[in-house]
């Protein structure tokens, strides 16, 4: 493949996915990671993409929008299910928990045992999944319905969250960056997740390997508010080491 063709395809992949990692591009094009880093530096200098720690993100405005739920549901599904199974191990009878509107939280809701538990959520999918479990009390935030994420957002949802206090929050996000913390694709989702973190004693971040080293549009939280990150086996050891330096407890789900 000619170098110019590789550059064209890199830009195409970044714009299609919104973000991509150096390791993925190295595998796709069968060149060294150092070569990919030089490619990305050149493409950034030409204004075709933006470099991020460990990869690149698209400059297209539409990539700052939410990915539709049905699309997220099938992305890295195997990894998300293993993360959900691990997350369930950290829930005990009579806990009061938050499940956000992520697809990983929905996978948790599917396999959550029917025992005494209070679940606060802004997700329609999570609430519906738990509705058939008689021992679980489900509280929905209400608010402005986001059709893409099938979740409630906005001032009403934020005010609703302020009325509660929970033992544990289980949230996901668009990006995890060792220096810049958690980020989301848009401000309304970021504000909701920031409020979920505020009202929880313990915060678990559920993130598959593709989220690491990424910085999305809207800041959610710094690392000093996060206790535990649950990820999968494919996450690069170097990314885990960077989070350990921030005092984060890391759990890798084993399939």
């Amino acid at each position: 493949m000619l170098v110019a063709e590789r550059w064209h395809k890199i830009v195409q992949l970044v714009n299609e996915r919104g973000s991509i990692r150096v390791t993925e591009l190295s595998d796709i094009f069968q060149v060294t990671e150092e070569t990919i880093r030089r490619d990305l530096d050149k493409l950034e200098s030409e204004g075709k993409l933006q470099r991020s720690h460990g990869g690149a993100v698209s400059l297209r405005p539409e990539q700052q929008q939410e990915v539709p739920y049905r699309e997220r549901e099938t992305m890295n599904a195997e990894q998300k299910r293993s993360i959900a199974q691990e997350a369930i191990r950290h829930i005990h009878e009579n806990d009061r928990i938050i499940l956000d509107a992520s697809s990983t939280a929905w996978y948790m809701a599917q396999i959550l045992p029917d025992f005494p538990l209070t679940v606060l959520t802004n997700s329609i999918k999570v609430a519906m999944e738990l509705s058939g479990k008689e021992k679980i009390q489900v509280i929905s935030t209400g608010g402005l319905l986001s059709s893409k994420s099938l979740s409630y957002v906005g001032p009403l949802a934020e005010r609703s969250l302020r009325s509660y206090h929970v033992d544990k929050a289980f949230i996901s996000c668009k990006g995890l960056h060792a220096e810049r913390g958690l980020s989301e694709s848009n401000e309304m989702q970021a504000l909701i997740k920031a409020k979920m973190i505020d009202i929880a004693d313990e915060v678990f971040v559920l993130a598959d390997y593709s989220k690491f080293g990424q910085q999305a549009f809207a800041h959610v939280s710094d690392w000093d508010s996060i206790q535990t990150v649950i990820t999968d086996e494919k996450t690069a050891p170097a990314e885990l080491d960077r989070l350990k330096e921030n005092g984060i407890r890391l759990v890798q789900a084993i399939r």
Side-chain angles (χ1 to χ4, degrees):
M1 179 183 293
L2 296 175
V3 174
E5 186 181 357
R6 184 174 71 239
W7 292 340
H8 174 76
K9 288 186 177 295
I10 287 173
V11 173
Q12 187 178 40
L13 282 167
V14 171
N15 286 334
E16 285 174 356
R17 300 189 187 185
S19 65
I20 196 165
R21 295 179 55 76
V22 167
T23 51
E24 290 180 80
L25 291 170
S26 177
D27 289 341
I28 290 168
F29 295 107
Q30 293 297 293
V31 296
T32 66
E33 292 184 14
E34 186 57 38
T35 296
I36 293 296
R37 290 189 187 96
R38 287 196 296 268
D39 289 347
L40 296 181
D41 289 341
K42 175 180 171 51
L43 293 168
E44 182 180 48
S45 71
E46 295 176 352
K48 294 179 179 177
L49 50 75
Q50 180 181 330
R51 290 284 273 116
S52 67
H53 183 77
V57 297
S58 174
L59 291 174
R60 289 186 175 180
E62 62 264 27
Q63 295 300 343
Q64 296 174 3
Q65 299 175 5
E66 287 183 81
V67 177
Y69 190 92
R70 290 174 183 84
E71 199 173 314
R72 288 190 288 122
E73 196 177 309
T74 58
M75 293 169 61
N76 301 325
E78 187 177 344
Q79 286 78 25
K80 290 175 181 178
R81 286 193 178 96
S82 67
I83 291 168
Q85 288 170 348
E86 176 59 39
I88 293 294
R89 298 188 179 100
H90 300 268
I91 300 174
H92 308 291
E93 285 194 18
N94 300 310
D95 275 349
R96 299 164 300 179
I97 70 170
I98 283 176
L99 294 180
D100 73 355
S102 64
S103 51
T104 311
W106 177 57
Y107 289 136
M108 286 179 66
Q110 288 180 317
I111 61 176
L112 196 59
D114 188 7
F115 56 52
L117 192 69
T118 299
V119 178
L120 175 60
T121 186
N122 70 322
S123 167
I124 293 175
K125 294 269 288 184
V126 167
M128 290 296 293
E129 193 67 46
L130 295 176
S131 64
K133 301 184 181 186
E134 296 181 355
K135 296 178 182 178
I136 297 178
Q137 181 183 46
V138 182
I139 301 171
S140 175
T141 62
L144 176 67
L145 177 62
S146 167
S147 59
K148 283 192 174 181
S149 63
L150 299 178
S151 68
Y152 294 113
V153 294
L156 180 58
E158 293 169 42
R159 285 199 298 273
S160 175
L161 287 169
R162 283 199 293 269
S163 302
Y164 298 101
H165 169 263
V166 298
D167 303 302
K168 300 162 186 171
F170 295 86
I171 68 167
S172 188
C173 59
K174 183 82 170 180
L176 281 76
H177 193 285
E179 286 79 38
R180 300 181 185 122
L182 311 185
S183 54
E184 256 303 336
S185 55
N186 70 69
E187 188 175 14
M188 295 186 83
Q189 288 292 347
L191 289 170
I192 282 289
K193 295 189 182 191
K195 183 53 61 180
M196 289 177 170
I197 290 169
D198 285 345
I199 67 170
D201 286 337
E202 187 174 8
V203 179
F204 294 81
V205 176
L206 316 173
D208 68 70
Y209 71 96
S210 68
K211 308 289 182 66
F212 286 78
Q214 304 302 318
Q215 183 182 17
F217 180 66
H219 182 260
V220 174
S221 172
D222 294 325
W223 288 111
D224 55 6
S225 298
I226 309 301
Q227 287 73 47
T228 304
V229 171
I230 302 177
T231 187
D232 59 87
E233 294 175 290
K234 293 182 70 174
T235 302
E239 296 289 354
L240 300 179
D241 289 341
R242 291 187 186 99
L243 290 192
K244 287 176 184 175
E245 292 172 3
N246 289 313
I248 302 300
R249 177 191 177 205
L250 289 154
V251 180
Q252 280 187 286
I254 307 298
R255 287 186 282 113

